[in-house]
Amino acid sequence: MSFKIASSPHQHIQKTTAQLMKLVALAAVPGIAVQAYFFGYGVLIQLLLAIITALLCEAAVLALRGKKVKAKLLDHSALVTALLLAVAIPSYAPWWLVVIGTAFAIIVVKQLYGGLGNNLFNPAMAAYVLLLVSFPLPMTSWLPAAPLQQQSLSPADAVCTIFTNFSCSGYSISQLRQDADGISMATPLDTLKTDLSQGYTTEESMKKPVFGWLSGEGWFWVNLAYLLGGLFLLQQKVIQWRIPVAVLGSLFGFSLIAWLLSPDTNASPLFQLFSGATMLAAFFIATDPVSASTTEKGRLIFGALIGGLAFVIRSYGGYPDAFAFAVMLANMTVPLIDYYTQPRTYGHKSKGAR
Amino acid sequence: MPTLFQQIQAGKVWDFHGGIHPPSRKERTNQKPVALLDIPDRLYIPLRQHIGVAGKVLVKVGDRVLKGQALTQAENAMAVPVHAPTSGMVLAIDLHTSTHPSSLAEPTLVLAPDGMDEWRPRKPLDPEQVDVYTLLERIQESGISGMGGAGFPTHIKVNVKQPVDYLIINAVECEPYITADDMLMQERASDIIAGIEILVKLLSPKAVLIGIEDDKPIAAASLKAAIGQKDNYFVREVPTKYPSGGEKQLIQLLTNKEVPAGRRPLDIGIVMQNVGTAFAIAQAVLDDIPLIHRVVTVAGETLAQQQNVLALIGTPISDLLNACGFQAEPQQRIIIGGPMMGFAIADWSVPVVKTTNCVLAPTENELGAASDEMDCIRCGACADACPASLLPQQLLWYSKAKDQDKLAEYNLSDCIECGACAYVCPSEIPLVHYYRVAKADIRETQREALKAEQAKARFDARTERLEREKQERLERNQQLAAQRVAQQQASGQATQSAAAVQQALERTQQQSGQSLDKEQIIAERERKKAEALAYQQQKQQAQIATPAEDQAPGTAEDPRKAAIAAALARAKAKKQAEAQPEAVEQTAPAEIAPDMDAKKAAVAAAIARAKAKKQAEAQPEAVEQPTPADTAVPEVDAKKAAVAAAIARAKAKKLAEAQPEAVEQSVPAEIAPPEVDAKKAAVAAAIARAKAKKLAEQAEAPLQTEAKATTERALPPERQEPATTPEQDAKKAAIAAAIARAKAKKQQNSEPL
Ligand code: SF4
Ligand code: SF4
């Protein structure tokens, strides 16, 4: 009798890349739900658009590259990329924005670099940066949270706005953003930045309705939901604690120092943690395995770098939120970090890199 | 700060990096007593079951052997014998598939048990009464080699000169499924402790640390009970985590020490033995039972009875499985060892050997075969799991790229192939497999480097020897010349001979050709003459002075040269034969530098040629020496020498090109009668050379025997009969020789070295 030959180990943990990706998508659900509640159903449409685009692009490129399309599509990595970009884009941004962004993320940032595992940059963040630089206006046109909106928007309105730039009742996106006085409302981070540049103190600026409780109407809850999702990922061992802790820790640390030194011109550390894309970035974006550091020490450095850069760009840069830039910059340093943070191999004295 | 020993005494257990928690599935077999099997119909006993060498076979086919009788004898420190597991008849000693990942066939003794199970006489020892050497001898004679890992001969491992701080007994058994040691501890704890006491007597350690995973509470309790009140025996329960049973990991767990890379545990004062080995030692010493059986876990859901069995060494795996109610499924895998580090076998006739601790016959559901490998997503899960703190994903990358420098930089050699990385990899990349391939490649590269080094050393030694011989020959020639001068002066012929030489020289000068540059020709011819003269003198001198012994230098010279050339040709021929496998059988083994490569052969040939030339140039000093020869002789000799030189050059060249058939082509030139004029000979030589070259280009596999034959035929020109020839011929011959030489030189220069 002849038996089948296989190489050891003959046993494998029942956790595949596809399952990891699915868990990531699952963990994002609470965040997406809260986002949809506060900022409109637009986010769902954006999600749909992004996923369709991502899958089509991925399939096309894989076919062109002569790869096994189905097997690779089923690793769900394109799905996660699409998801991350869709939730980072303003909910009512025109449809072509997310389509362009997703296509760029998949085709250029991921596949042209060699496909899953070989991309230097986080595809979703690279695409976000591209869009932000190319189309700054639609990319920053967030509606105020639902309680502050003058016109309540139905799902149908969402579809209309995204595809025609006008809601079913004919409001343009900039009209939708206006408050009762006809003044366009920006995101809390944006507002704070503008106010501080105009000489207001943090405290004065924070009195505006857009801030709501702690860190901005709606934004606090969105961040909390992503934090929950992140904790779920940690518990499922999909991600390791080092990167998120380092991101949040360094953002908190830097903003604490700045805030203690000059509370009038700096936001509080808690505000920083719960506004904008902080939690999403810390748990979902920075932890993207492909473009993050892989050594234990390296992950701490990588995370701290992101948190620090985000603080600097938020406080002193020209853009309201900063994580996309921070992540991309940190991505670039990964090969270096990895090289210099090789663990000490058992039985060796010196550190890995010599 | 308490010392390490104090910390150990206090019960501290450390941790190692990484590790995984695969489902252990030990409960299936660790509550059933070890079953005894019927004696199988046939036992297949590999003569070598351990690292090291096999012993000499002591029995022959047809012999009846008794249980426990040694079948082989250790003639070497690294060998341990194998024994008959039961009484019976030796059926055959033949090749049989080995119980090894390679499945290579190994010499195996086939025993047909007679069912009587009759023991040879046994001589138990009392460890208290005998000395260390008797114990070591008994351990070796009982065939004991490590039963946990690779099977290192135990008597070597416990025969140490260095002081030993800790004797660590590995009772961890961290691989899933395996409970062989667990059951042994549950059932035979006191024997194990007796074995450990013998080890203590051999090693005198400061303390005995017994490492056991905390999922074996009964075994641990049994051991503790058996130890009783003994001092400095510590049973340390380590958390269940794979691979805490790895030698290095257990050392780290129990002592917080690391074995420095490339060193042995002994270098940090630690010796580790497996519980199974301790048990085997106790049996060998106290009961004189050699290592003829062992506990094997037989598990997997294709079996009706998953259990531990006491299997005789040599029991075919098929018997083992069938005894446990094996029901094969399609695509069945059978794994020797655990699911993490075991190896699958294709042929289940392989036997249980001393290191076989487990046989698995899992269903596909139970241990899923690896599915499709996907791209590495650099998640680092593998690095988190690696007990050696390596970066498996980088090793994977460089293994695929075959970048051996980077692999060394990332310490591939420290990978213990535990499989933890591949176990956790979400992309299901068979990482360990990649590392094995990379390691094999590296070994291959190192072997080749070593071979090249050896060849170079051989070549250098040879060049040196040739140089030395040349020097010796030169000295001898000078001595001979000096002797001759003395002789001739004594006989008063000196002046007369000198005059004769002078006359001959003048005559040739007068007759020099007009179409060629006179000076050059004269010079050339004189040199030629001088060579010939020297040759003649030497020959005569040898004959006159010491007929028998001193003949050697003169006549031996060219044969030796030819022999060297022949050796080179052989080396080359061999090389070519290797390149043309179909010709291999036809090539007899070369005597000198068999695996020297072609380039080196070419170098050597060039050296030989250069030497020949130098030798020729070294002769003229002898020209001044008066010769009793007739005046015509120089002329004749000049011609002959020219012919010979052309031939020799042609020969050397051809040989260097390693075209032995080509040598045949030159035969006409070589045996050309001296009457034929030298020019023709030179032309012939040139033609032969051209032919040889052409042949070289279209050569088929060279036949070395021919090379030998032809080189023999091409032997010393001095064998040719001297004959008188018109003096014009001498002149022409000289011219031809000059041309031929120039050509030869040119070719030689243009030959790549
Ligand atoms: S576990 Fe597998 S996928 Fe993850 S980094 Fe290691 S090799 Fe790559
Ligand atoms: S097989 Fe090698 S690289 Fe993989 S975990 Fe074990 S020691 Fe580390």
Side-chain angles (χ1 to χ4, degrees), chain B residues 368-429:
Chain B
S371 55
D372 270 355
E373 174 184 345
M374 304 218 289
D375 294 318
C376 167
I377 55 168
R378 291 175 38 86
C379 63
C382 48
D384 293 342
C386 178
S389 296
L390 297 170
L391 290 175
Q393 74 275 31
Q394 305 289 12
L395 291 174
L396 169 70
W397 182 266
Y398 295 123
S399 293
K400 281 182 168 176
K402 302 204 186 305
D403 187 339
Q404 298 191 353
D405 294 340
K406 279 288 186 185
L407 285 171
E409 185 181 322
Y410 282 86
N411 302 324
L412 176 64
S413 56
D414 289 291
C415 166
I416 58 172
E417 296 181 21
C418 67
C421 51
Y423 177 79
V424 297
C425 174
S427 291
E428 306 207 25
I429 302 170

Side-chain angles (χ1 to χ4, degrees), chain A residues 8 10 12 294 344-345 347-348, chain B residues 258 261 339 393 411 414 425 436:
Chain A
S8 70
H10 304 278
H12 192 267
T294 60
R344 184 187 63 88
T345 305
H348 286 256
Chain B
E258 288 184 15
Q393 74 275 31
N411 302 324
D414 289 291
C425 174
R436 285 201 192 106

Side-chain angles (χ1 to χ4, degrees), chain B residues 130-137 158-159 201-202:
Chain B
V130 298
D131 63 9
V132 165
Y133 297 101
T134 314
L135 287 176
L136 284 173
E137 199 183 345
V158 297
N159 183 12
K201 177 164 176 162
L202 292 172

Side-chain angles (χ1 to χ4, degrees), chain B residues 80-155:
Chain B
V80 297
V82 293
H83 301 79
T86 182
S87 60
M89 203 182 63
V90 178
L91 269 193
I93 300 174
D94 216 343
L95 292 179
H96 187 78
T97 315
S98 64
T99 313
H100 187 267
S102 69
S103 296
L104 288 176
E106 285 238 28
T108 301
L109 186 145
V110 186
L111 185 71
D114 56 16
M116 300 186 344
D117 213 20
E118 186 186 336
W119 265 100
R120 62 154 162 80
R122 279 148 70 187
K123 298 188 286 293
L125 293 178
D126 181 352
E128 299 301 320
Q129 304 296 318
V130 298
D131 63 9
V132 165
Y133 297 101
T134 314
L135 287 176
L136 284 173
E137 199 183 345
R138 172 57 65 87
I139 290 172
Q140 177 175 20
E141 279 173 358
S142 300
I144 299 175
S145 54
M147 295 174 73
F152 192 85
T154 301
H155 66 278

